């Protein structure tokens, strides 16, 4: 039983032991991997699960339909007392408490120290308190009159973050918005407006073909922004990276020149500070030089890497970020703020307002009795906007800059520990040999049957199947959780990311041992 | 002392009495409206507030700078023990509690029964519990593997909402997203993709000039979407409304034909079910007929009016909504869900995925061990997405469909009560004479000096100043809060909106009496 996961609440999350994922309600009927094969033709076809065993589910051949049916049944009706259906009549509070308990029970403990699946993890108690207060205040960021304190808090946070990036107070602007992809979308929107302000009223019909540049290892949000904004995802040029996942500056410049000769108009380069999979930092100064030479908007996507600016030990990895025209930085990742908390910072004061304002009179009256520059709602592409700043502000009060720095250092020490462990083990292989720059560590588990095979397509084809199979078993066991993916010419590999300060070296040992335990007997077809 | 507002926590919000806004910390020095005028030239120029009185602030002539300085001082340093600055070193928990208390104290009680300022108001305790659980779970909506329960809850909610709109289960699709403006942006994005799917990869450069249509009373989000998406805000044709704020269908058809003759390509009509200011419902069936004739995408912005679908008594006001191709519906407005909670519903299954997917391999692996149709993240323009569904689901469990229906009925009864009261009072005047269709009631307060003036530009110029002056005083007094705006040829008027079921008729009486009390002595310049 796979994806039904059982978290307990907060205090459980910080315990070193305990399960990350759920134990099946009806576990006894599924975990007997030695059950006889099912030969009854009527069985399983009409959602009768009494004669189906876990081995009949994926990755079993032709297990797709059964697995899908099983999940749907399980989640929609099969859970005793947990009905997702929406009633016409009210239910009593006792039932609501049961519903809440079940929701947590069948969810995933993202705060568990052995949850390594996402860049956002952990559960900061002060941050949580901030979220609870925010929900209680239940207000909206669009005008100062309904959010006086939160709007000032946002301004204080943005100024501090701009200062940390290295900008002077006069030039900086910014806004918190719903996630790093929307923050990156703002950067493209602003770049377009900077070069072609008429686009706001006239649209892109009379514009030349615009081109954006981003690296092969960058996040897909640049392409998504291009698709949404009407620039077109194929007008994003993907620049080659080196083995370590860093954009190659000469390749960038070559791409820019090529685009120009083809008649399109380069406007924007996205450099990544902390790539999603490898945790690589693009060479910002070299890229900034090229952007200056060609007059392009330089955006730095530091969604994941921004947190390193808070560590004296690691902030030099982002050297050159102060030369960016805009920066995305997600405190809900490396700073451990609860989801969601993402900022777009812009080194051109006033452009957010100019680009986005429509001056709706019902909301942004100019004859208000206060300074309406504090009505920040018209700087955004939203109208109402969730209060994402209070939790971060409260965490900053509680930890100080130094506290955040220590958190970052600890996560990166954990990554080095994992890196060293993998170097020492014969059953694991690193995807790239150099020391991690961020907390991402990428590796393969090599099952016994592949250990003596020579490198090449045959081995790769088999290795590609290993991570998904281990992950499927890992989800069934529910003791830890880690992601995998292919990337470029690398077949499926695990990516461990460390952003939860509750994680100890013992948890990292556990992860490797658990992968090895689950992986040693997996069946890889030799065709 | 105006915009520093003092809410208590939840239980205060449901009390019939109490202040909506803050009492000044240093009130005694400001509320003496009989203080002598300030003639000292050095006074007030260097942020010395010891010799400035509240009468020196706006709306006093040349009070702008003083007011701005005063607010900044007050909020950033002037509040005893409340520093917004971000420390390098940690603060102790005692201080954090003080910070939390101050944040609530200087905020606005949006849940107070006399808060009439925004379409979203009230504080539903079950909804709040849902938000608290959501923060505790601290997960992300992009994949089923980290949000199994929340993703299924979203699906259940979307299906229910589609069914209530009147669509069959097979055709419907949708997603919850950060606010009504983003939901409306999706509708334009999908319409563009429907007619020109190549725009996703190629952009708009080779496309003809596209035209969108929306009414003069509609929300500004259609123009904002056009600006963001590269269509251009001036390619949104604003269609005339009748006196009641409803789009005039013959004007729409005329505008469509005119646009075509000018060589642009109409693709999309936004009809509003519940306009922001008047609460008007556009005639959906007549508009749907026109859209069918011209082959246009019909979107219905029911952000505010969608809640009425849950009331047997009022749902006929949205007749024809089932003919829409997409619908925006914000449960955080008329259904009372905590902010934020907004859905875009789409009557074309699969188009969200087709339009937005980029198939990032690190997140949306196709070799997962479950049905990846539940990985809804690639249907969105975001990557990570906040969990906005659980609170609504829990509220639905707690109230049932019938409970929501009763809430809506109660709010609309309150609006009728207010409407009738205003009809009876000589010191108030309705902006339009007909009975409210939604819970919006729009009116002027007529101060004694204007009561005997004949209608015309002179009276209008003076009347325009009344609402802002009353609101400024209202914010200083802090006992109630209501919005105002001009609209078309109507000078500044109050808009009362009722969406909090805690509001009683006594609160409505209070509102009118308070406006009259504050308004009777305001000074309107006769020039």
């Amino acid at each position: 039983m796979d994806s039904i996961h059982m978290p307990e609440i907060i205090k459980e999350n910080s315990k070193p032991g305990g399960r990350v994922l759920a134990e099946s309600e009806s576990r006894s009927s599924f975990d007997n991997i030695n059950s006889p094969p099912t030969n009854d033709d009527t069985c399983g076809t009409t959602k009768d699960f009494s004669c189906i065993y876990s081995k009949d589910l994926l990755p079993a051949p032709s297990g797709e339909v059964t697995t899908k049916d099983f999940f749907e049944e399980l989640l929609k009706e099969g859970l005793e007392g947990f009905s997702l259906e929406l009633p016409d009549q009210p239910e009593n509070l006792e039932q609501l408490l049961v519903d809440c308990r079940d929701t947590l029970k069948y969810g995933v403990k993202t705060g568990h120290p052995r949850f390594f699946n996402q860049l956002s993890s952990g559960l900061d108690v002060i941050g949580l308190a901030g979220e609870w207060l925010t929900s209680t205040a239940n207000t909206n960021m669009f005008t100062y009159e309904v959010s006086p304190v939160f709007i000032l808090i946002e301004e204080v946070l943005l100024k501090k973050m701009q200062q940390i990036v290295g900008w002077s107070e006069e030039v900086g602007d910014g806004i918190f918005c719903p996630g790093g992809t929307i923050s990156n979308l703002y950067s493209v929107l602003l770049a377009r407006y900077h070069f072609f302000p008429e686009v706001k009223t006239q649209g892109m019909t009379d514009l030349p073909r615009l081109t954006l540049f981003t690296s092969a290892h960058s996040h897909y949000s640049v392409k998504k922004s291009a698709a949404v904004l009407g620039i077109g995802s194929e007008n994003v040029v993907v620049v080659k990276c080196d083995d370590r996942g860093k954009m190659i500056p000469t390749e960038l410049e070559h791409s820019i020149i090529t685009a120009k000769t083809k008649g399109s108009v380069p406007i924007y380069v996205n450099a990544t500070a902390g790539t999603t999979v490898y945790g690589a930092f693009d060479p910002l100064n070299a890229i900034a030089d090229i952007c200056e030479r060609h007059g392009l908007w330089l955006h730095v996507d530091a969604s994941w890497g921004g947190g390193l600016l808070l560590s004296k030990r690691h902030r030099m990895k982002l050297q050159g970020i102060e030369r960016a025209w805009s920066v995305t930085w997600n405190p809900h990742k490396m700073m451990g703020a609860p989801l969601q908390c993402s900022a777009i910072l812009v080194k051109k004061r006033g452009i957010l307002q100019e680009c986005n304002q429509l001056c709706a009179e019902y909301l942004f009256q100019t004859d208000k009795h206060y300074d309406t520059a504090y009505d920040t709602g018209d700087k955004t592409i939203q109208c109402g906007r969730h209060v994402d700043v209070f939790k971060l502000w409260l965490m900053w009060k509680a930890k100080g800059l130094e506290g955040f720095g220590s958190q970052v250092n600890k996560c990166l020490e954990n990554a080095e520990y994992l890196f060293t462990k993998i170097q020492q083990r014969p059953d694991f292989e690193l995807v790239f040999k150099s020391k991690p720059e961020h907390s991402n560590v990428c590796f393969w588990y090599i099952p016994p049957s592949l250990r003596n095979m020579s490198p090449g397509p045959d081995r790769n084809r088999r290795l590609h199947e290993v991570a998904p199979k281990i992950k499927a078993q890992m989800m069934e066991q529910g003791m830890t959780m880690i992601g995998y993916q292919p990337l470029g010419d690398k077949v499926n590999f695990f990516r461990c990311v460390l952003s939860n300060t509750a994680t100890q070296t013992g948890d990292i040992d556990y992860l490797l041992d658990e992968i090895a335990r689950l992986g040693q007997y997996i069946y890889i077809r030799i065709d």
Side-chain angles (χ1 to χ4, degrees), chain A:
Chain A
M1 211 285 298
D2 306 76
S3 52
I4 322 296
H5 314 140
M6 182 175 64
E8 303 304 324
I9 39 181
I10 327 162
K11 61 177 182 182
E12 273 290 313
N13 285 322
S14 53
K15 279 191 193 166
R19 294 169 59 81
V20 182
L21 315 177
E23 186 159 22
S24 167
E25 286 283 284
S26 48
R27 186 155 191 81
S28 56
S29 60
F30 288 100
D31 60 2
N32 180 1
I33 56 163
N34 298 317
S35 316
T38 305
N39 288 320
D40 182 345
D41 276 343
T42 68
C43 185
T45 51
T46 52
K47 302 195 179 180
D48 167 12
F49 296 96
S50 63
C51 47
I52 310 181
Y53 294 85
S54 67
K55 60 172 180 49
D56 304 314
L57 301 179
L58 286 173
S62 69
E64 287 86 349
V65 174
T66 320
T67 305
K68 185 170 179 295
D69 288 349
F70 170 66
F71 276 106
E72 289 183 350
E73 202 64 20
L74 183 68
L75 283 158
K76 292 190 178 156
E77 294 158 81
L79 302 176
E80 202 182 343
F82 192 29
S83 160
L84 296 178
E85 293 311 312
L86 300 166
D88 289 346
Q89 307 290 333
E91 287 181 358
N92 62 42
L93 291 183
E94 177 61 33
Q95 182 57 44
L96 293 184
L97 289 174
V98 170
D99 291 338
C100 286
R101 201 193 59 210
D102 286 348
T103 299
L104 286 170
K105 181 174 171 185
Y106 297 110
V108 175
K109 282 186 191 172
T110 59
H112 195 287
R114 296 199 303 258
F115 176 84
F116 305 104
N117 206 66
Q118 242 69 44
L119 302 181
S120 304
S121 68
L123 184 60
D124 187 276
V125 173
I126 299 291
L128 181 62
E131 275 292 75
W132 285 20
L133 183 142
T134 300
S135 328
T136 307
N138 193 31
T139 193
N140 206 313
M141 291 292 281
F142 43 38
T143 62
Y144 180 79
E145 70 188 66
V146 297
S147 279
V149 181
F150 297 134
I151 283 192
L152 291 172
I153 282 176
E154 178 171 51
E155 194 185 1
V156 168
L157 280 168
L158 288 168
K159 281 196 174 158
K160 187 68 156 189
M161 292 169 84
Q162 287 154 12
Q163 180 202 323
I164 290 168
V165 163
W167 297 344
S168 83
E169 204 170 276
E170 291 70 40
V171 300
D173 204 347
I175 205 92
F176 279 79
C177 48
T181 292
I182 299 291
S183 292
N184 284 343
L185 184 143
Y186 270 98
S187 72
V188 181
L189 180 69
L190 294 172
R192 183 178 69 180
Y193 179 78
H194 172 77
F195 292 109
F196 302 98
E198 69 276 20
V199 78
K200 179 179 177 181
T201 54
Q202 299 305 311
M204 293 191 60
T205 308
D206 299 332
L207 255 52
R209 190 169 297 276
L210 308 181
T211 315
L212 318 175
F213 301 83
T214 194
S215 89
H217 280 239
S218 70
H219 191 259
Y220 68 94
S221 43
V222 177
K223 280 197 178 176
K224 193 152 264 192
S225 302
V228 170
L229 299 174
I231 292 169
S233 59
E234 290 186 3
N235 294 313
V236 178
V237 174
V238 175
V239 181
K240 278 187 199 156
C241 290
D242 63 18
D243 288 350
R244 187 57 193 79
K246 293 168 182 286
M247 186 195 280
I248 303 170
T250 52
E251 291 284 341
L252 171 64
E253 187 145 34
H254 178 72
S255 302
I256 292 169
I257 292 164
T258 305
K260 283 182 180 172
T261 57
K262 284 184 181 164
S264 77
V265 177
I267 58 166
Y268 167 103
V269 174
N270 170 64
T272 308
T275 59
T276 313
V277 179
Y278 277 19
F281 289 84
D282 285 346
L284 301 184
N285 271 318
I287 294 170
D289 290 342
I290 294 166
C291 288
E292 276 174 21
R293 260 201 302 281
H294 294 274
L296 306 186
W297 182 289
L298 171 60
H299 175 67
V300 174
D301 178 1
S303 296
W304 172 227
L308 272 64
L309 290 168
L310 306 172
S311 158
K312 285 176 191 147
R313 199 185 300 167
H314 297 291
R315 67 163 288 139
M316 86 306 182
K317 293 171 183 171
L318 294 97
Q319 261 175 3
I321 192 170
E322 69 283 357
R323 298 173 67 186
W325 297 25
S326 55
V327 170
T328 292
W329 176 354
N330 288 5
H332 69 220
K333 293 197 165 88
M334 203 59 192
M335 292 170 75
L339 289 158
Q340 61 193 26
C341 193
S342 171
I344 173 75
L345 309 174
V346 190
K347 197 164 58 181
K348 190 177 175 188
R349 198 158 186 83
I351 193 177
L352 270 168
Q353 185 83 16
E354 286 166 34
C355 176
N356 292 318
Q357 76 178 353
L358 287 171
C359 304
E361 286 183 313
Y362 84 94
L363 200 54
F364 307 116
Q365 303 91 329
T366 51
D367 52 5
K368 281 180 179 174
H369 67 296
Y370 59 84
D371 178 3
T372 53
Y374 288 102
D375 285 354
T376 55
D378 222 10
K379 289 165 78 168
T380 77
I381 62 168
Q382 302 181 262
C383 172
R385 189 160 57 99
H386 192 257
V387 178
D388 294 333
V389 291
F390 181 73
K391 59 194 167 195
L392 177 61
W393 177 81
L394 199 66
M395 286 172 72
W396 209 307
K397 289 266 185 179
K399 295 169 197 294
L401 192 63
E402 297 193 1
F404 281 124
S406 305
Q407 276 187 204
V408 169
N409 291 346
K410 166 142 197 207
C411 291
L412 268 68
E413 283 160 21
N414 276 341
E416 273 199 53
Y417 178 86
L418 173 58
F419 172 76
T420 309
K421 278 278 162 180
I422 291 174
Q423 280 183 317
Q424 294 163 354
R425 290 184 66 143
D427 46 352
F428 287 88
E429 196 176 300
L430 288 161
V431 172
F432 51 89
K433 308 297 174 196
S434 56
K435 214 175 85 171
E437 294 187 313
H438 204 308
S439 83
N440 310 46
V441 182
C442 297
F443 59 88
W444 291 282
Y445 169 75
I446 315 292
S449 60
L450 300 187
R451 267 175 227 164
N452 295 321
M453 280 186 78
S454 45
D458 269 6
R459 183 175 182 267
N460 278 344
R461 206 169 56 245
R462 285 162 196 165
L463 189 55
H464 190 61
E465 291 182 38
V466 172
K469 287 189 173 175
I470 291 176
K471 170 120 183 198
Q473 290 201 41
M474 186 183 277
M475 299 281 289
E476 183 166 347
Q477 303 275 331
M479 301 305 282
T480 186
M481 195 164 168
I482 184 175
Y484 71 87
Q485 66 286 299
L487 182 59
D489 61 354
K490 312 289 189 197
V491 298
N492 275 327
F493 57 88
F494 288 111
R495 176 203 65 172
C496 186
V497 275
L498 294 141
S499 61
N500 183 355
T501 48
T503 300
Q504 307 297 334
T505 51
D507 298 308
I508 294 168
D509 293 335
Y510 186 98
L511 172 71
L512 293 181
D513 291 344
E514 181 72 356
I515 290 174
R517 188 180 72 79
L518 297 171
Q520 62 186 321
Y521 300 122
I522 56 163
Y523 172 70
I524 305 293
R525 185 170 35 201
I526 314 277
D527 38 28

